[in-house]
Amino acid sequence: MEKVRDLYEFAEELREKVDIVEYISQYVKLKKRGKNYMGLCPFHPDKNPSFSVSREKGLFHCFGCGVGGNIYHFIMKIEGVDFVKAVEILAKWAGVEIPKYKVSKEKGEIFNLHEIFTSYFEKLLHENKEAMNYLKKRGLKEEVISKFRLGYAPEDISFFLKEKKIKPEIFKKTGLYPFSHFRGRLIFPIFDTVGRVIGFSGRTLKDEEPKYINSGESVFKKREALYGIFQAKDSILKNREVVLVEGYMDVIMLHQNGIENSVSSMGTSFTIDQGRILKRFADRIYICFDPDTGGIAGTKRALDIAETLNFDVRIVKIPENLDPDEYVLKNGKESFFELLKDAPDVVTFLWSEAEKLHKNDESAVPLVKDLIEIAKRIRDEAKRFEVIRKIAERTKFPEDIILNEIKRGKKKKKRDESILEQKDLLEREFLSAIVKNERFFSIIKDEIDENYFFTERYRNLYRKITSNLTKDVLEEDSIYREMILEDNEISEEVFFDIFRRFKLRYLMRVKEKIIKEIDEIDKEDEERFNYLKLKLFEIEKDIKSFLHKKEV
Ligand SMILES: [Zn+2]
């Protein structure tokens, strides 16, 4: 416990030394606006910059989705790591040596074991002719074999476990259990974004089925893993562009040929979780699946997910019916770059797919229907109208019929806005004013209490503000962060004006409540009736004196 506390202190010191704007700029393009920096949020599908970073306060906050915190929260969120790992990452980035500390977490132990096995398998690969020959035959060079740390799993692991004193019950928790799945196979370690081995994939060298076997779901979350993300991350961040392929070999071969921003979804089912991880690092995605039927169906699903996440989506069609690895091996880097350059956007791609599908139809209706579905996906109104015009031109259907068809679909989709929580503007305004003006607040502090807040969230925040919490605890509250990052400063005059309106509104509300109760009360209950009358009298007096004070 003592040691971890040391780490915490170290982390606080480190936080003072680094520039949060510089750090976050590696991931997000930030522009100065007022005192803060703004950019597109990497954590939600953001259209207008709602992601704010304050150098002065050392905080970030998204006004769209509410995430935020200090630089460690950012690293934890963007890299999907825990606090300890986030400190390590920041220390490394800042070139600061990290003091020794103890991690007893089981997860850390599993990562360590995975690392030990990965090194062991790497060594075995180079001693195994059959496996090396296979890789050479596929065209892999030593450079990428070591970059991706490919390995070979022995027939028997028990000697190694004994030698390293790894207990069977611990081994069971690793991604190599049951080992029978991996023995005698080529091993592809799977890394997370910061380079820890989270799982393994074993490929047969003997044409056994299945060709690839992955670690079990207990340690390894396949839907959140992207093969090659660690090796590709820096290159992706350069232009915030990523090439998404199906296979392990595709990734490795593309990297070997200089397309280092490629990752694999490990099969054709690209998941929303994988998409979210990529969205932290990229804004444009090139979907580049194999040209077989599975690949085309997978492409359509993947582009739906990518569009939901607001990626700029391009679909790469590989000619000659080749897989990406075969294509780049045969035609080289430059011609692959040409494919990327010419890759159509979603509308163009889906349009040509629809044309292909309906090319032998007698009626134009099925084609029109499919094209209308494409137009419906377009959020930008001008672009949508342009496509509608093209549909009319292509199919000879009148534009207004197409337009009506689209509108009909839209109506159903409209969300019920009334469900959205109604925010109390005045309460927020007042809270924001006291957060920014502690001096003015101290003057009126005793005149109000938490009951003045009718909105629970604001009442909670007020309670926090008035209970002497430290700044970093307060900063955990997203509304608080939002407020201190707002740029507007408030003069004394404005502050007291907000306060008067806030207090008056409270008094009026209380008065209303009392009147309502008097109306509804059983008149026989004289005691209660008199009590309420007295209350009403008091509150009216308060209001009067308060209004009077305003005039002074
Ligand atoms: Zn956000």
Side-chain angles (χ1 to χ4, degrees), residues 41 43-44 50-51 62 64-67:
C41 177
F43 304 116
H44 86 273
S50 40
F51 184 81
C62 175
C65 65
V67 305

Side-chain angles (χ1 to χ4, degrees), residues 114-179:
H114 282 173
E115 179 58 40
I116 290 168
F117 287 119
T118 300
S119 303
Y120 177 51
F121 296 160
E122 277 185 283
K123 198 178 73 122
L124 293 184
L125 174 66
H126 288 88
E127 293 165 2
N128 187 296
K129 263 206 172 138
E130 189 198 0
M132 281 309 273
N133 277 341
Y134 170 80
L135 292 175
K136 294 264 155 68
K137 223 170 61 203
R138 296 279 314 243
L140 264 62
K141 293 186 179 144
E142 183 54 47
E143 175 200 330
V144 286
I145 293 174
S146 70
K147 180 177 180 182
F148 288 90
R149 303 186 64 189
L150 304 190
Y152 175 78
E155 292 293 332
D156 191 341
I157 194 84
S158 56
F159 303 108
F160 185 70
L161 296 183
K162 249 178 233 153
E163 190 195 314
K164 294 284 167 191
K165 299 195 174 67
I166 299 165
K167 292 187 193 109
E169 64 268 27
I170 300 291
F171 182 66
K172 269 188 187 174
K173 289 178 182 162
T174 70
L176 286 168
Y177 184 84
F179 191 69

